[in-house]
Amino acid sequence: MSAAKDEVLEVAGRAVTISNPDKVFFPKSGYTKLDLVRYYVAVAEGALRGVASRPMALKRFVNGAEGEAFFQKRAPTSRPEWIETVELSFPSGRTAEEIVVHDAAQLAWIINLGCIDLNPHPVRAGDLDHPDELRVDLDPVPGVPWAQIRDVAMVTRDVLKDFGLVGWPKTSGSRGMHIYCRIEPRWTFPEVRRAAVALAREVERRAPQIATSRWWKEERHGVFLDYNQNAKDRTVASAYSVRPLADARVSTPLMWDEVPTCEAEAFTLATVPRRFAEIGDPSKGIDEAIGSLDALLELSAEHEAAGFGDAPWPPHFAKQTGEPARVQLSRRKREDRPAAPKGEVPPPAPGKTVGPTGRRRTTMPLIEIARAASEAEARAGLQRWRTRHAEVWSHLAPSDILVDSMRGRNTTWTRIRINLRNVPEPERPPQEALEVDYDPWAGYQGPDRSGQLERPKRRRPAD
């Protein structure tokens, strides 16, 4: 059998080689790698508006949308001289040369690596410490209808406007919506995140029945405004990104008058190029609509004065300013000791050292079902559990099934938990052995999250 012939495209004045052009990336629709490259070239003006001059994490699907993806932060060592990079530092203290895209040829070269969607950081290569975007990620709880997501988007638009910002909406290409605001690059990552927390709380205040700012999944309802997408080292699929779904759905910029009636499934690799040719890019003008975070930061200060503390950070981040002291209770003065904590730490599954919430207390009755390399494997385990506990399943709401995409070494893995809050207490099953028990860190000998191969020994306090 002869080897697949490469295809060379002329893009932005450069010859870009596409290897394995006929490789099928979307089996159900038949789209190939070459179809994907040609799509991005067709919408390059809009796609570049979302990624130009930004460091980009590469999420590579070398076996197509149904294959396992892996993250590559470091630019490939073998690359054309016209591929640009910038050194980015991460919360762990480590650094990496990440690719920076400026034109359609560089964009096509990245897609040839097997990148289906684009994941840029919210900073420009010229100033890596000050984001120029506030990113609002509307993440629905399972079972929330699409119409409710649109309603929360409209409330968010009004809040942004009231605080002096212009929001630019787009479908996420997955289950939710995104709203981006260009901002002056003069605030740090923690300050931008602080503004995002204030925004989320204000949207929740105005629409408490349909929106939430609660970080822990078991406490959420409706649509969650994910403020942590503004933390350093977090990336979001950018405008015109094709998502790794069977129908090759696209994260598509919208005009605000489209939002109340739009349908996410209408925007795909097949339909978006025609839409782009007919109406252009609805996000054109975003780079000129630069706003200030001053008003949102003032709101944040009001929240803090009223007793609202910082919201939880992602678990892999170091302890942040404003979090409770880490001094052992036995060493605190009695009057400084906090009130007895609420809830309890759920027990781990047999053979595991940590349970459904790690070491965190919760007031919700949680059990863990699966830890799997893929979501399909995790859901297969959930189905087995459901078969054994049909009487319990009948009490559960969609929002009681908590499916988490977790970060491993270079890939994600899936955890499934169940919230038994709607199950009568006498009927709640105990924590059982996991249906699927995958350990993404098995055999790993690399550095810990601080970047150190060995953790430093703790010093004994002086007598």
Side-chain angles (χ1 to χ4, degrees):
M1 185 175 180
S2 60
K5 185 179 180 181
D6 294 346
E7 178 125 1
V8 178
L9 301 181
E10 288 293 326
V11 183
R14 293 194 177 101
V16 182
T17 300
I18 308 302
S19 59
N20 298 312
D22 297 327
K23 186 171 186 177
V24 176
F25 264 40
F26 294 88
K28 293 184 179 178
S29 52
Y31 296 124
T32 64
K33 180 197 279 191
L34 186 58
D35 292 329
L36 188 63
V37 173
R38 284 177 170 159
Y39 159 81
Y40 275 107
V41 172
V43 299
E45 178 193 344
L48 289 170
R49 190 166 282 118
V51 303
S53 302
R54 302 184 185 280
M56 186 183 303
L58 305 180
K59 186 179 180 182
R60 299 179 63 180
F61 295 81
V62 295
N63 292 314
E66 294 186 357
E68 182 179 350
F70 67 92
F71 289 94
Q72 180 175 334
K73 292 183 177 180
R74 290 168 175 79
T77 54
S78 177
R79 60 181 185 267
E81 62 180 9
W82 42 267
I83 294 296
E84 301 176 40
T85 64
V86 67
E87 186 175 81
L88 203 68
S89 61
F90 305 110
S92 66
R94 285 171 284 181
T95 61
E97 291 284 331
E98 291 202 1
I99 288 177
V100 179
V101 169
H102 296 286
D103 62 32
Q106 295 166 331
L107 182 61
W109 185 84
I110 282 178
I111 305 307
N112 181 59
L113 295 178
C115 296
I116 292 179
D117 49 16
L118 308 174
N119 294 272
H121 293 270
V123 293
R124 307 279 183 170
D127 185 351
L128 299 175
D129 297 320
H130 299 92
D132 71 333
E133 284 184 342
L134 173 69
R135 295 175 172 180
V136 184
D137 180 9
L138 304 183
D139 184 10
V141 167
V144 169
W146 177 251
Q148 186 170 322
I149 302 169
R150 297 184 307 211
D151 290 344
V152 174
M154 299 306 291
V155 175
T156 304
R157 179 198 64 170
D158 294 342
V159 173
L160 289 169
K161 183 177 179 181
D162 290 346
F163 286 84
L165 293 167
V166 179
W168 299 78
K170 67 183 182 72
T171 62
S172 72
S174 183
R175 298 174 55 245
M177 295 188 73
H178 298 154
I179 304 172
Y180 284 7
C181 302
R182 289 289 195 268
I183 58 174
E184 303 168 48
R186 62 186 178 92
W187 293 278
T188 63
F189 277 94
E191 288 172 321
V192 175
R193 178 189 173 278
R194 184 168 160 244
V197 172
L199 172 71
R201 288 171 171 166
E202 178 63 14
V203 173
E204 181 180 34
R205 186 188 69 81
R206 296 191 188 188
Q209 300 303 316
I210 59 174
T212 183
S213 63
R214 301 293 184 93
W215 169 254
W216 304 114
K217 282 193 173 183
E218 65 265 26
E219 298 177 349
R220 294 181 193 172
H221 69 278
V223 179
F224 171 53
L225 286 88
D226 190 354
Y227 45 80
N228 274 332
Q229 295 293 12
N230 294 277
K232 186 176 175 64
D233 196 28
R234 299 302 283 257
T235 60
V236 180
S238 62
Y240 295 100
S241 285
V242 181
R243 306 308 301 275
L245 301 178
D247 60 355
R249 200 168 296 188
V250 172
S251 179
T252 307
L254 304 169
M255 294 176 282
W256 276 112
D257 60 5
E258 294 180 289
V259 171
T261 58
C262 74
E263 298 295 340
E265 63 271 17
F267 307 108
T268 68
L269 187 149
T271 64
V272 169
R274 181 171 64 250
R275 167 186 165 89
F276 190 88
E278 292 175 353
I279 72 171
D281 180 15
S283 64
K284 187 175 184 179
I286 188 174
D287 288 320
E288 289 71 49
I290 300 173
S292 170
L293 292 182
D294 286 339
L296 277 179
L297 290 174
E298 289 176 7
L299 178 64
S300 178
E302 293 175 8
H303 288 168
E304 291 167 7
F308 291 96
D310 191 10
W313 286 70
H316 61 284
F317 277 74
K319 204 75 169 177
Q320 301 293 315
T321 302
E323 288 186 291
R326 292 184 175 180
V327 179
Q328 296 177 11
L329 287 178
S330 61
R331 295 189 179 184
R332 297 190 200 178
K333 295 180 180 179
R334 183 170 300 277
E335 60 270 22
D336 292 336
R337 295 180 188 178
K342 296 180 180 180
E344 60 182 16
V345 179
K352 312 307 293 182
T353 58
V354 295
T357 61
R359 297 176 179 84
R360 180 176 61 85
R361 288 177 175 269
T362 179
T363 58
M364 299 294 178
L366 299 179
I367 58 174
E368 190 172 13
I369 304 301
R371 303 178 189 180
S374 69
E375 183 173 346
E377 292 175 293
R379 289 192 178 277
L382 176 64
Q383 185 60 40
R384 293 193 295 272
W385 186 93
R386 175 181 178 176
T387 300
R388 292 203 320 275
H389 297 283
E391 71 289 349
V392 175
W393 189 268
S394 64
H395 293 289
L396 301 177
S399 58
D400 293 333
I401 313 302
L402 309 178
V403 181
D404 304 300
S405 180
M406 312 292 286
R407 291 192 178 190
R409 283 173 285 175
N410 296 304
T411 62
T412 58
W413 56 280
T414 301
R415 175 182 68 180
I416 293 184
R417 301 171 295 163
I418 290 180
N419 191 337
L420 300 173
R421 59 188 168 183
N422 291 317
V423 180
E425 191 166 354
E427 300 178 29
R428 293 174 183 171
Q431 175 67 65
E432 301 170 337
L434 298 179
E435 293 289 340
V436 186
D437 189 358
Y438 168 71
D439 182 1
W441 301 99
Y444 181 57
Q445 300 296 322
D448 66 9
R449 287 170 176 168
S450 69
Q452 302 298 316
L453 287 172
E454 294 184 2
R455 293 188 181 277
K457 294 181 179 179
R458 292 187 177 182
R459 295 181 179 179
R460 286 183 170 272
D463 293 335

